[in-house]
Amino acid sequence: MQDTDVYHLLGSGLKRRLRCNGRVRVGLSADPLINKRLTNRLTEPLMTSPFMTLQEIVQQARKRLPRGEWDYLAGAAETETTLRRNRLAYDRLALRARVMSNVSQVQLQRKFLGVDLRLPVLLAPIGSLQMFDAGGGLTSARAAAQFGVMQILSSVCQPDFEAVARECPGPRVYQLYLHGTEDWAMETFARAKAAGYTALCLTADTQVYSRRERDILKRWVPLAARQEGTAQPKRPTHTLQNAMSWELVRRIKDRFGLPMIVKGIACAEDAELAVQNGVDVVYVSNHGGRQLDHGQATLDMLPEVVKAVAGRATVVCDGGIMRGTDVLKALALGADAVGIGRLEVLAMAAGGVPGIVRMLELLETEMQLNLASMGLNAIDQLTPASVVPAQPVGLPGVLSAFPLLAEDYGT
């Protein structure tokens, strides 16, 4: 089966392509609502020619996604102020350029938890990926493996984590929302370790589910928030996610002995507590602006977290990263790697596995060219002195990193 066959499969609406390491399986989605959505609403064909810019990926995703799924991806909590601040923080920094340097070779590789990455980029844990491509988390896994980065698989994705590990083996992280008891969480993490996951992740900034007004105004309920088999919202419940503690983090770390990631760190105080409790990766995040409204931008949080960690743990940062220059700025301020979420899903919606791989290739190209233009030949040469404050040139927004969207290129 050729890669282009996936376009015909999605066009028929009832199948998904499950492909990794040269093996292909085609089957029905586990959720009939997803099958119906893919059949009736994703009517635009996947682009078969290579994307030449990241903007083309965004344009194709917008054409293919229905309004509910688009708003779920593009929206944030309440006034969406935190989302805009995430983007504004990158726009307020300029890159400093040096000359007379040998940039004939530019090195972008970096290790993460002992794994060689082609780029210091992680595919962030995104819930309900199956809304954007029938392969769901497996699509993301295959793309990560094909390109050479690492996936953090969300626990609210289909197929389940064991199926993903079975179909696409390799190093990856399992992120678990604690929607059950501690015994349930321990059993689930034990299964993840047995399935071959090489690190574990807790998301700490989702104690409650925020008010996302784009969804509320349409009376649209995200897939992960629905009662099983219906479009009705789940009833609020109290779970371990509401009562997470550093003691629990320590117990998980001690029991399984795998690298531990805590995602959602937003200040120096919590970064220090994370390190004290055995956390290996301090993941700076505000959930893409989807939880706390009027919060800080993640890039603005990053320097104080890096200072507090003081080299005792790996630091990852996400939130608002849409271009190669954004990655360079985060690395300059001390991140060891970055997570990309919305950009990953845009690429998935635009082109499935090939779309994500192409997005990563374009991100790599932007990083190489801009690092060379700065007079640097390796990402390890980036320091806080590589960036300086600058006046933003436009209004921030979820897609403001693509200013030519306002013009008619590619439409």
Side-chain angles (χ1 to χ4, degrees):
M1 181 177 290
Q2 302 298 315
D3 281 350
T4 52
D5 288 347
V6 70
Y7 310 132
H8 303 297
L9 293 173
L10 283 178
S12 69
L14 293 177
K15 295 179 179 178
R16 64 181 179 185
R17 170 177 169 267
L18 302 181
R19 181 177 183 269
C20 184
N21 297 331
R23 296 173 296 162
V24 175
R25 288 177 53 190
V26 176
L28 293 175
S29 170
D31 190 329
L33 291 176
I34 298 171
N35 283 331
K36 182 178 180 181
R37 183 177 299 111
L38 288 170
T39 305
N40 296 338
R41 304 182 76 182
L42 289 183
T43 56
E44 286 285 335
L46 289 167
M47 182 175 282
T48 55
S49 60
F51 298 106
M52 298 301 293
T53 66
L54 291 172
Q55 172 169 314
E56 292 169 43
I57 291 176
V58 175
Q59 288 172 317
Q60 180 71 357
R62 185 67 188 94
K63 290 176 183 177
R64 297 195 71 245
L65 288 175
R67 179 67 182 274
E69 282 78 356
W70 176 262
D71 282 349
Y72 175 77
L73 173 60
E78 298 180 14
T79 67
E80 301 187 348
T81 296
T82 306
L83 180 153
R84 292 185 176 90
R85 283 180 178 158
N86 277 348
R87 188 61 234 165
L88 179 62
Y90 285 96
D91 294 342
R92 287 191 310 217
L93 288 181
L95 298 169
R96 295 183 70 230
R98 301 291 303 274
V99 296
M100 300 299 177
S101 301
N102 183 352
V103 293
S104 56
Q105 299 290 327
V106 177
Q107 186 272 327
L108 302 178
Q109 297 78 29
R110 181 166 282 180
K111 285 186 179 291
F112 178 76
L113 298 179
V115 177
D116 290 320
L117 302 183
R118 182 169 160 181
L119 296 178
V121 169
L122 309 173
L123 300 187
I126 305 291
S128 302
L129 285 177
Q130 61 272 23
M131 292 195 305
F132 304 98
D133 181 85
L138 193 50
T139 297
S140 175
R142 288 175 178 143
Q146 184 174 329
F147 181 83
V149 294
M150 190 177 289
Q151 176 202 37
I152 304 178
L153 180 69
S154 170
S155 58
V156 288
C157 275
Q158 292 179 359
D160 66 60
F161 65 96
E162 288 164 318
V164 171
R166 185 168 56 250
E167 295 296 330
C168 192
R172 68 173 51 84
V173 181
Y174 182 56
Q175 176 271 337
L176 180 64
Y177 285 108
L178 301 178
H179 295 158
T181 65
E182 183 169 336
D183 287 344
W184 169 83
M186 293 296 187
E187 178 186 354
T188 304
F189 275 140
R191 289 167 55 197
K193 182 176 181 179
Y197 286 81
T198 50
L200 305 175
C201 177
L202 292 175
T203 296
D205 62 353
T206 52
Q207 308 94 320
V208 295
Y209 192 86
S210 65
R211 289 177 57 82
R212 300 171 189 177
E213 293 192 358
R214 293 190 191 217
D215 299 339
I216 295 170
L217 288 166
K218 298 190 304 295
R219 307 301 189 260
W220 187 85
V221 181
L223 190 61
R226 296 175 189 172
Q227 297 180 33
E228 187 173 355
T230 77
Q232 299 302 310
K234 294 178 181 177
R235 296 179 178 86
T237 58
H238 294 287
T239 67
L240 199 57
Q241 190 72 28
N242 309 124
M244 201 181 301
S245 68
W246 291 116
E247 290 77 14
L248 174 63
V249 171
R250 171 61 73 177
R251 289 195 294 273
I252 294 171
K253 171 72 174 179
D254 290 346
R255 178 163 175 175
F256 297 106
L258 292 176
M260 192 74 197
I261 301 171
V262 173
K263 178 176 179 285
I265 302 298
C267 64
E269 297 92 327
D270 283 340
E272 176 63 34
L273 288 169
V275 174
Q276 289 179 9
N277 284 281
V279 171
D280 301 277
V281 179
V282 175
Y283 193 140
V284 180
S285 178
N286 56 25
H287 222 77
R290 297 162 68 83
Q291 282 297 109
L292 175 65
D293 193 22
H294 287 270
Q296 285 182 279
T298 49
L299 195 68
D300 290 341
M301 305 169 190
L302 181 60
E304 69 171 272
V305 170
V306 169
K307 182 178 179 181
V309 169
R312 295 173 293 167
T314 298
V315 177
V316 174
C317 180
D318 70 13
I321 295 171
M322 290 287 186
R323 306 301 294 248
T325 49
D326 301 334
V327 181
L328 299 181
K329 291 173 185 180
L331 297 180
L333 292 183
D336 296 297
V338 302
I340 54 173
R342 284 188 177 90
L343 188 57
E344 170 196 355
V345 179
L346 288 164
M348 174 184 286
V353 173
I356 299 175
V357 171
R358 184 59 180 153
M359 175 272 292
L360 290 166
E361 290 172 347
L362 290 168
L363 205 64
E364 179 181 51
T365 297
E366 291 188 353
M367 290 176 65
Q368 287 173 332
L369 293 176
N370 284 286
L371 195 65
S373 296
M374 294 173 68
L376 305 177
N377 59 33
I379 53 174
D380 291 343
Q381 295 175 347
L382 290 163
T383 71
S386 302
V387 294
V388 293
Q391 184 70 27
V393 298
L395 295 175
V398 67
L399 299 179
S400 60
F402 308 102
L404 296 183
L405 285 174
E407 303 184 34
D408 62 356
Y409 294 99
T411 58

